[in-house]
Amino acid sequence: MKTDSIQLAPPSRRRWRIPVIGLVVIGIAGGGWMMYSKNTSAQAHTPNKGDAKKEVVFELAPADVTQIKLREVAVNLPISGSLMPVSQATVRSKVAAEVLETLVQEGMPVKKGQVIARFDGADLRARLTTQEALVDEAKAKLSLAQKNRQNNETLLQQKYISQNAFDTMHNGVELAQASLKSALSQREVAQIAVTDTLIKAPVDGIVSKRSVQAGEKVSPDSALFTIVNLSQLILEAQVPSSEIPRIRIGQTVSFNVDGFNNRGFSGKVARVNPAAEAGSRSMLVYIEVNNTDGALKGGMFAKGNLTLEKTGAFPVMPLSAMRLQNGKDVVYKVVNNQIEQQPVRLGLRNEDEGIVQVLEGLQAGAQVISAKLDEIKPGSKVTMPKLPSAAAVAGSASPVVPASSTKG
């Protein structure tokens, strides 16, 4: 049996190999670290195009921008009140008589002088006949007295009668003349009474009330009919006394009445009551309203506005477009898709409509920011309200931000 033997290296050679292997490992590790460090430094100094800051463009919504237009601006005072006819008459009886017939009813139109009722005038005609007889009697007595005076005047000249007798006869003539005048006056009264048995409309208008029927007995001053003329109405509106200094005769009033849908009416201030209403401290303003077509009726309730001030045609902008910079009024105007700060001088304001008159700084057609957009400042880029195509949005180098999303 043959046995193989293993020869071992000398101890000195094994001790030399261990340090050499360690140095090789350290060298490899050091080289790797230097290469990693170099690459990292190079990446840190290489610019990244995607990290460059892009310019923001704000997309305006239709509600964000307003175009300046020319129009009038008015300051209004809200009013309300009842409509009353200017011309209204109550027809009353002037005599005591029985009503034979009434010729009109409520709602019927009448003309001035039209007969609207008849009374039984038999008694009154009999009185007229009596008065005419008394007139004839008075005329006869006067004629006799005048003849006697003429005869006595001749006798006086011939000294057949005394002066006192002639004076007595002359006085009788004067008494006869007075009696004739009285009889004539009484006959005229009787004639008027007969005429008053025919009741006539005193004005053009419409019968609003009938107070008698045929067969009734009426006395003098009894109410028979009420007639109103609707061609002219008066709107009686209560106004706070503090507003009276701003109200002038001739100012325009526009109003609406329930039941007329979108139809508007107008009138003008005619007069102002000089005394305030007790308790409310308000004053009545009377407004004339033309109602030629008769659409409005007496007693209707109206609500509207009294125009205190009014301008001509000026540039007008929303109050929401106003901004205050260093104590001055400015607006943000859109020029070539960029925001510019524009100083303005403002005039009359209408708080109810939310508009203000522009005296200087803006012309008709200008575009202004009318919404409170916190992110938009002078110099900001914007796009006007429209829907861009998908391709335009994808190819844009600058991101488009909806301006409305920046509202506070």
Side-chain angles (χ1 to χ4, degrees), residues 141-168:
K141 289 181 178 180
L142 176 59
S143 179
L144 179 60
Q146 288 175 339
K147 289 179 181 179
N148 290 335
R149 186 181 64 178
Q150 290 176 355
N151 293 333
N152 286 332
E153 186 176 1
T154 302
L155 295 175
L156 178 63
Q157 292 176 355
Q158 296 177 359
K159 306 293 184 179
Y160 286 113
I161 61 173
S162 64
Q163 183 66 42
N164 289 336
F166 177 78
D167 291 341
T168 301

Short mmCIF file of all heavy atoms in Angstrom, two decimals, residues 141-168:
data_model
loop_
_atom_site.label_atom_id
_atom_site.label_comp_id
_atom_site.label_asym_id
_atom_site.label_seq_id
_atom_site.Cartn_x
_atom_site.Cartn_y
_atom_site.Cartn_z
N LYS A 141 -149.94 143.93 -13.15
CA LYS A 141 -149.96 144.96 -12.10
C LYS A 141 -148.97 146.08 -12.42
O LYS A 141 -149.28 147.27 -12.19
CB LYS A 141 -149.64 144.34 -10.75
CG LYS A 141 -150.75 143.45 -10.21
CD LYS A 141 -150.38 142.89 -8.85
CE LYS A 141 -151.51 142.02 -8.28
NZ LYS A 141 -151.17 141.46 -6.94
N LEU A 142 -147.86 145.75 -12.92
CA LEU A 142 -146.87 146.77 -13.26
C LEU A 142 -147.35 147.63 -14.41
O LEU A 142 -147.20 148.87 -14.39
CB LEU A 142 -145.55 146.10 -13.64
CG LEU A 142 -144.44 147.05 -14.12
CD1 LEU A 142 -144.10 148.08 -13.03
CD2 LEU A 142 -143.20 146.26 -14.55
N SER A 143 -147.97 146.99 -15.38
CA SER A 143 -148.48 147.76 -16.52
C SER A 143 -149.56 148.74 -16.08
O SER A 143 -149.58 149.92 -16.51
CB SER A 143 -149.04 146.80 -17.57
OG SER A 143 -149.57 147.51 -18.66
N LEU A 144 -150.47 148.29 -15.17
CA LEU A 144 -151.53 149.17 -14.67
C LEU A 144 -150.92 150.32 -13.86
O LEU A 144 -151.35 151.50 -13.99
CB LEU A 144 -152.49 148.36 -13.82
CG LEU A 144 -153.66 149.15 -13.17
CD1 LEU A 144 -154.52 149.82 -14.25
CD2 LEU A 144 -154.50 148.23 -12.30
N ALA A 145 -149.93 150.02 -13.05
CA ALA A 145 -149.31 151.05 -12.22
C ALA A 145 -148.60 152.09 -13.08
O ALA A 145 -148.63 153.29 -12.77
CB ALA A 145 -148.32 150.41 -11.25
N GLN A 146 -147.99 151.67 -14.14
CA GLN A 146 -147.31 152.60 -15.03
C GLN A 146 -148.31 153.52 -15.74
O GLN A 146 -148.05 154.73 -15.91
CB GLN A 146 -146.46 151.82 -16.05
CG GLN A 146 -145.24 151.18 -15.45
CD GLN A 146 -144.50 150.31 -16.46
OE1 GLN A 146 -145.09 149.89 -17.47
NE2 GLN A 146 -143.22 150.01 -16.16
N LYS A 147 -149.49 153.00 -16.16
CA LYS A 147 -150.51 153.83 -16.80
C LYS A 147 -151.07 154.86 -15.83
O LYS A 147 -151.28 156.04 -16.16
CB LYS A 147 -151.63 152.95 -17.32
CG LYS A 147 -151.24 152.12 -18.54
CD LYS A 147 -152.39 151.25 -19.01
CE LYS A 147 -151.98 150.41 -20.22
NZ LYS A 147 -153.10 149.54 -20.68
N ASN A 148 -151.33 154.42 -14.58
CA ASN A 148 -151.84 155.35 -13.57
C ASN A 148 -150.84 156.47 -13.29
O ASN A 148 -151.22 157.62 -13.08
CB ASN A 148 -152.16 154.60 -12.28
CG ASN A 148 -153.39 153.70 -12.45
OD1 ASN A 148 -154.25 153.95 -13.31
ND2 ASN A 148 -153.46 152.65 -11.63
N ARG A 149 -149.54 156.12 -13.29
CA ARG A 149 -148.54 157.16 -13.05
C ARG A 149 -148.54 158.19 -14.18
O ARG A 149 -148.40 159.40 -13.92
CB ARG A 149 -147.15 156.52 -12.91
CG ARG A 149 -146.08 157.54 -12.53
CD ARG A 149 -144.74 156.87 -12.42
NE ARG A 149 -144.30 156.34 -13.74
CZ ARG A 149 -143.12 155.74 -13.93
NH1 ARG A 149 -142.27 155.58 -12.91
NH2 ARG A 149 -142.83 155.27 -15.12
N GLN A 150 -148.68 157.72 -15.41
CA GLN A 150 -148.70 158.65 -16.52
C GLN A 150 -149.90 159.61 -16.41
O GLN A 150 -149.78 160.83 -16.64
CB GLN A 150 -148.75 157.90 -17.85
CG GLN A 150 -147.45 157.16 -18.18
CD GLN A 150 -147.57 156.35 -19.46
OE1 GLN A 150 -148.66 156.27 -20.05
NE2 GLN A 150 -146.47 155.73 -19.86
N ASN A 151 -151.07 159.03 -16.07
CA ASN A 151 -152.27 159.88 -15.93
C ASN A 151 -152.10 160.87 -14.78
O ASN A 151 -152.45 162.07 -14.91
CB ASN A 151 -153.50 159.02 -15.68
CG ASN A 151 -153.84 158.17 -16.90
OD1 ASN A 151 -153.51 158.55 -18.04
ND2 ASN A 151 -154.49 157.02 -16.68
N ASN A 152 -151.57 160.42 -13.67
CA ASN A 152 -151.39 161.30 -12.51
C ASN A 152 -150.33 162.37 -12.78
O ASN A 152 -150.39 163.48 -12.21
CB ASN A 152 -151.01 160.49 -11.28
CG ASN A 152 -152.22 159.73 -10.73
OD1 ASN A 152 -153.37 160.15 -10.88
ND2 ASN A 152 -151.95 158.58 -10.11
N GLU A 153 -149.39 162.05 -13.64
CA GLU A 153 -148.38 163.05 -13.97
C GLU A 153 -149.02 164.21 -14.73
O GLU A 153 -148.69 165.39 -14.49
CB GLU A 153 -147.28 162.40 -14.81
CG GLU A 153 -146.11 163.34 -15.08
CD GLU A 153 -144.99 162.62 -15.85
OE1 GLU A 153 -145.12 161.42 -16.17
OE2 GLU A 153 -143.96 163.28 -16.10
N THR A 154 -150.00 163.91 -15.60
CA THR A 154 -150.72 164.97 -16.33
C THR A 154 -151.57 165.79 -15.38
O THR A 154 -151.61 167.04 -15.45
CB THR A 154 -151.61 164.35 -17.42
OG1 THR A 154 -150.78 163.59 -18.31
CG2 THR A 154 -152.33 165.43 -18.21
N LEU A 155 -152.25 165.09 -14.48
CA LEU A 155 -153.07 165.79 -13.50
C LEU A 155 -152.23 166.67 -12.58
O LEU A 155 -152.68 167.75 -12.16
CB LEU A 155 -153.87 164.78 -12.67
CG LEU A 155 -154.93 163.97 -13.45
CD1 LEU A 155 -155.56 162.92 -12.54
CD2 LEU A 155 -156.00 164.90 -14.02
N LEU A 156 -151.03 166.21 -12.26
CA LEU A 156 -150.17 167.02 -11.41
C LEU A 156 -149.76 168.30 -12.12
O LEU A 156 -149.71 169.37 -11.49
CB LEU A 156 -148.92 166.20 -11.03
CG LEU A 156 -147.88 166.94 -10.18
CD1 LEU A 156 -148.49 167.32 -8.81
CD2 LEU A 156 -146.65 166.06 -9.97
N GLN A 157 -149.48 168.21 -13.40
CA GLN A 157 -149.10 169.40 -14.16
C GLN A 157 -150.27 170.41 -14.23
O GLN A 157 -150.04 171.63 -14.27
CB GLN A 157 -148.65 169.00 -15.56
CG GLN A 157 -147.34 168.23 -15.57
CD GLN A 157 -146.97 167.75 -16.97
OE1 GLN A 157 -147.78 167.93 -17.92
NE2 GLN A 157 -145.79 167.12 -17.09
N GLN A 158 -151.49 169.90 -14.26
CA GLN A 158 -152.67 170.77 -14.32
C GLN A 158 -153.17 171.16 -12.93
O GLN A 158 -154.23 171.79 -12.79
CB GLN A 158 -153.79 170.06 -15.08
CG GLN A 158 -153.43 169.79 -16.54
CD GLN A 158 -154.51 169.01 -17.27
OE1 GLN A 158 -155.55 168.64 -16.66
NE2 GLN A 158 -154.29 168.76 -18.57
N LYS A 159 -152.44 170.79 -11.93
CA LYS A 159 -152.75 171.15 -10.55
C LYS A 159 -154.03 170.51 -10.03
O LYS A 159 -154.67 171.03 -9.11
CB LYS A 159 -152.86 172.67 -10.37
CG LYS A 159 -151.66 173.45 -10.88
CD LYS A 159 -150.43 173.16 -10.04
CE LYS A 159 -149.25 174.05 -10.52
NZ LYS A 159 -148.04 173.82 -9.72
N TYR A 160 -154.42 169.35 -10.61
CA TYR A 160 -155.63 168.68 -10.14
C TYR A 160 -155.36 167.76 -8.96
O TYR A 160 -156.28 167.42 -8.23
CB TYR A 160 -156.28 167.88 -11.27
CG TYR A 160 -156.98 168.74 -12.28
CD1 TYR A 160 -156.48 168.84 -13.57
CD2 TYR A 160 -158.15 169.44 -11.93
CE1 TYR A 160 -157.12 169.64 -14.51
CE2 TYR A 160 -158.78 170.25 -12.88
CZ TYR A 160 -158.26 170.34 -14.16
OH TYR A 160 -158.89 171.12 -15.09
N ILE A 161 -154.12 167.29 -8.80
CA ILE A 161 -153.75 166.44 -7.66
C ILE A 161 -152.53 167.04 -6.99
O ILE A 161 -151.78 167.83 -7.60
CB ILE A 161 -153.47 164.99 -8.08
CG1 ILE A 161 -152.29 164.94 -9.07
CG2 ILE A 161 -154.71 164.32 -8.64
CD1 ILE A 161 -151.85 163.53 -9.40
N SER A 162 -152.34 166.60 -5.79
CA SER A 162 -151.19 167.12 -5.05
C SER A 162 -149.93 166.29 -5.37
O SER A 162 -150.00 165.20 -5.95
CB SER A 162 -151.47 167.06 -3.55
OG SER A 162 -151.62 165.71 -3.15
N GLN A 163 -148.84 166.87 -4.93
CA GLN A 163 -147.57 166.17 -5.14
C GLN A 163 -147.51 164.87 -4.34
O GLN A 163 -146.97 163.86 -4.80
CB GLN A 163 -146.39 167.07 -4.73
CG GLN A 163 -145.01 166.48 -4.98
CD GLN A 163 -144.70 166.30 -6.46
OE1 GLN A 163 -145.04 167.19 -7.27
NE2 GLN A 163 -144.10 165.16 -6.83
N ASN A 164 -148.10 164.89 -3.15
CA ASN A 164 -148.09 163.66 -2.33
C ASN A 164 -148.86 162.54 -3.00
O ASN A 164 -148.46 161.37 -2.95
CB ASN A 164 -148.71 163.96 -0.96
CG ASN A 164 -147.78 164.83 -0.11
OD1 ASN A 164 -146.57 164.84 -0.34
ND2 ASN A 164 -148.35 165.56 0.84
N ALA A 165 -149.96 162.86 -3.64
CA ALA A 165 -150.75 161.84 -4.33
C ALA A 165 -149.96 161.26 -5.50
O ALA A 165 -149.98 160.04 -5.75
CB ALA A 165 -152.06 162.42 -4.81
N PHE A 166 -149.22 162.13 -6.19
CA PHE A 166 -148.41 161.63 -7.31
C PHE A 166 -147.28 160.75 -6.81
O PHE A 166 -146.98 159.70 -7.40
CB PHE A 166 -147.85 162.81 -8.11
CG PHE A 166 -146.96 162.38 -9.23
CD1 PHE A 166 -147.49 161.90 -10.42
CD2 PHE A 166 -145.57 162.42 -9.10
CE1 PHE A 166 -146.65 161.49 -11.45
CE2 PHE A 166 -144.74 162.00 -10.12
CZ PHE A 166 -145.28 161.52 -11.30
N ASP A 167 -146.67 161.13 -5.71
CA ASP A 167 -145.57 160.32 -5.16
C ASP A 167 -146.05 158.93 -4.73
O ASP A 167 -145.35 157.92 -4.88
CB ASP A 167 -144.94 161.04 -3.98
CG ASP A 167 -144.17 162.28 -4.43
OD1 ASP A 167 -143.85 162.39 -5.64
OD2 ASP A 167 -143.88 163.13 -3.56
N THR A 168 -147.27 158.90 -4.18
CA THR A 168 -147.83 157.61 -3.77
C THR A 168 -148.04 156.71 -4.98
O THR A 168 -147.75 155.50 -4.95
CB THR A 168 -149.15 157.82 -3.03
OG1 THR A 168 -148.93 158.64 -1.88
CG2 THR A 168 -149.75 156.49 -2.62
#
